[in-house]
Amino acid sequence: MNKETDCGQNQILVCEDSMEGIFTGIYEAYALRIPHEQIFLQVGLEGNLRLFAVYTEIMPDMEKVQKVMRTLRSRFGDKDYASLCMALTTSDRKKAQAVYKTVVWGLSGRYKGSILNHLIDDNVRRTMELAREAGNELHHYREFLRFQELESGILHAVTTPQCDILPMLTTHFADRLPMENFIIYDEVRDYYAVHPAGREWFLMSGGTKEGARVKQVCKAESNAEQYYQELFRHFCHTISIEERKNLNLQRNMLAMRFRPNMVEFAEK
């Protein structure tokens, strides 16, 4: 990056849509050493460019990411740090700027306690809203995710999340199913989380040759899985009481978008 910037111009840092990309952008924003009011972080290039602004593309740099992570953890604590990370998993196009300005406010030292309690600031409030949005979706998937047994004995689950929560979701199930081979697929972003029994899990793109092989393996359910799916569907329909059906309450408790991959709502 060119450090010789015109202090009178706005600096637009264009980041990759990932936690690593945005954290690198935050590092570079401080490295510019100009007023933060002149710096804007955005995810990808927008259709309309700003006049009298300098655009700089920021590539993820893991060394810089680690430095930002250490600073945020030490200054804000694990809880607020986790909330900042959750906010960055959303699809909101302005999340990078909101989190960046929240970090600037927090590091200024003008507010004591949890930085995300300072809701009078628009950027802090937006960051909190985004973190809550992603956290709610993660909570729902922890409760509603359905694993299916494949012919190979591997457990397989499909998700269609609005937020990029697959790493956090996999961490949750790796802690609870440490000795199981399982795969969780993010259908929206086309990538897998693969957890070998007793080992560390890893992420895999569905667009690679290995991803294509995984996709093929995940199509074959075991006979026992099909049998127990039918039993479970029959059980759910049998215990329901037609006279007490409340579809509005059901939708409030379980949004329609979670249902396509749930056994009890699938067609025979």
Side-chain angles (χ1 to χ4, degrees):
M1 175 181 290
N2 183 10
K3 302 296 182 182
E4 297 179 0
T5 57
D6 184 349
C7 292
Q9 289 184 309
N10 289 332
Q11 302 294 319
I12 314 297
L13 306 185
V14 182
C15 307
E16 178 186 275
D17 188 3
S18 66
M19 186 182 74
E20 293 81 5
I22 295 172
F23 278 179
T24 304
I26 292 174
Y27 180 94
E28 295 291 0
Y30 275 89
L32 287 174
R33 299 187 182 279
I34 63 175
H36 291 289
E37 291 76 16
Q38 294 178 223
I39 305 175
F40 299 86
L41 264 64
Q42 68 180 47
V43 176
L45 280 175
E46 299 176 350
N48 296 322
L49 301 181
R50 303 190 187 198
L51 295 175
F52 311 112
V54 177
Y55 282 78
T56 305
E57 185 177 2
I58 303 298
M59 300 304 296
D61 185 314
M62 289 309 300
E63 182 179 350
K64 297 174 182 178
V65 170
Q66 292 293 334
K67 291 180 180 179
V68 172
M69 290 171 62
R70 286 195 298 268
T71 299
L72 298 184
R73 275 202 174 105
S74 63
R75 294 292 297 273
F76 300 153
D78 288 340
K79 184 177 180 180
D80 280 358
Y81 169 75
S83 294
L84 293 175
C85 292
M86 290 297 293
L88 294 179
T89 68
T90 65
S91 58
D92 191 283
R93 300 298 297 177
K94 297 181 179 180
K95 61 185 178 182
Q97 179 70 0
V99 171
Y100 163 53
K101 293 299 184 181
T102 299
V103 170
V104 170
W105 176 263
L107 294 181
S108 69
R110 289 178 287 174
Y111 186 78
K112 303 300 182 182
S114 173
I115 180 61
L116 295 178
N117 288 337
H118 183 65
L119 300 181
I120 194 173
D121 183 88
D122 290 340
N123 290 300
V124 175
R125 183 171 64 255
R126 186 57 185 155
T127 298
M128 187 64 178
E129 291 170 352
L130 294 176
R132 184 185 296 117
E133 174 188 336
N136 287 342
E137 184 168 51
L138 177 61
H139 172 73
H140 279 92
Y141 268 109
R142 285 172 175 171
E143 299 293 329
F144 301 137
L145 190 69
R146 298 291 188 266
F147 283 101
Q148 300 175 3
E149 184 185 60
L150 305 177
E151 286 183 349
S152 59
I154 298 172
L155 302 180
H156 174 242
V158 179
T159 66
T160 54
Q162 295 177 346
C163 304
D164 189 6
I165 57 172
L166 183 58
M168 286 78 80
L169 186 64
T170 306
T171 299
H172 171 81
F173 284 103
D175 182 57
R176 282 150 182 77
L177 305 171
M179 301 312 296
E180 294 285 351
N181 293 307
F182 68 79
I183 299 172
I184 304 177
Y185 178 50
D186 184 332
E187 195 171 37
V188 176
R189 296 161 188 84
D190 190 28
Y191 78 117
Y192 296 87
V194 181
H195 177 270
R199 294 159 57 192
E200 293 293 325
W201 58 272
F202 58 90
L203 299 175
M204 175 187 297
S205 171
T208 62
K209 291 183 179 180
E210 293 78 8
R213 286 197 291 268
V214 171
K215 192 172 296 186
Q216 189 63 35
V217 169
C218 292
K219 292 180 179 179
E221 295 178 351
S222 68
N223 292 331
E225 174 64 28
Q226 297 177 31
Y227 174 72
Y228 282 109
Q229 281 188 20
E230 185 58 33
L231 281 180
F232 187 57
R233 279 192 291 266
H234 181 71
F235 168 77
C236 291
H237 288 293
T238 300
I239 64 171
S240 64
I241 301 174
E242 188 66 27
E243 291 75 15
R244 300 186 66 180
K245 183 180 293 185
N246 187 335
L247 298 181
N248 288 332
L249 179 60
Q250 287 183 19
R251 284 190 287 270
N252 286 336
M253 302 296 292
L254 176 61
M256 299 293 290
R257 64 188 179 90
F258 292 103
R259 300 186 184 189
N261 298 313
M262 297 179 67
V263 173
E264 55 268 45
F265 291 100
E267 297 181 0
K268 292 186 179 181

